[in-house]
Amino acid sequence: YTIYLGVLFAILFYFYKSWNRLKFIDSFAWVLILAGAVSNFGERLVLGYVRDFIYIFNGILNFADFYIILGVMILLFGQLNITDTKEIK
């Protein structure tokens, strides 16, 4: 739990320090990632495990995992968009 909590606090610290510089969509992505991380940590702390209940193809997810994946995808696509616009100019 210590490593997970350390990573969570590092993300919170980065988010706190760069809140004013982030675009809305980036802030939204970080909120999704933090919501998923806090939810997974809370379930692991209270239940001792994370409940998975969404069956997708050959994997199983929960909403917290989905939020983390969606947040990371938004950040990645945002970076791709920035890279593409810089190359065009």
Side-chain angles (χ1 to χ4, degrees), residues 1-19:
Y1 296 127
T2 306
I3 293 172
Y4 195 78
L5 197 57
V7 169
L8 186 61
F9 277 120
I11 292 172
L12 279 169
F13 182 74
Y14 169 76
F15 190 58
Y16 174 75
K17 287 292 189 179
S18 61
W19 175 261

Side-chain angles (χ1 to χ4, degrees), residues 39-40 43 50-70 73:
S39 176
N40 275 341
E43 279 192 52
V50 177
R51 292 179 284 183
D52 293 325
F53 52 86
I54 301 172
Y55 298 96
I56 299 177
F57 302 113
N58 60 352
I60 304 173
L61 294 173
N62 60 21
F63 282 113
D65 296 339
F66 179 72
Y67 289 160
I68 293 170
I69 291 169
L70 184 62
M73 286 175 56

Side-chain angles (χ1 to χ4, degrees), residues 16-83:
Y16 174 75
K17 287 292 189 179
S18 61
W19 175 261
N20 294 331
R21 295 181 308 213
L22 293 175
K23 296 182 292 187
F24 173 76
I25 194 71
D26 292 336
S27 298
F28 180 69
W30 281 109
V31 166
L32 286 175
I33 293 169
L34 287 171
V38 168
S39 176
N40 275 341
F41 183 74
E43 279 192 52
R44 193 167 300 279
L45 195 62
V46 171
L47 300 175
Y49 63 95
V50 177
R51 292 179 284 183
D52 293 325
F53 52 86
I54 301 172
Y55 298 96
I56 299 177
F57 302 113
N58 60 352
I60 304 173
L61 294 173
N62 60 21
F63 282 113
D65 296 339
F66 179 72
Y67 289 160
I68 293 170
I69 291 169
L70 184 62
V72 169
M73 286 175 56
I74 290 171
L75 288 175
L76 288 175
F77 284 130
Q79 290 300 315
L80 289 175
N81 190 20
I82 289 171
T83 305

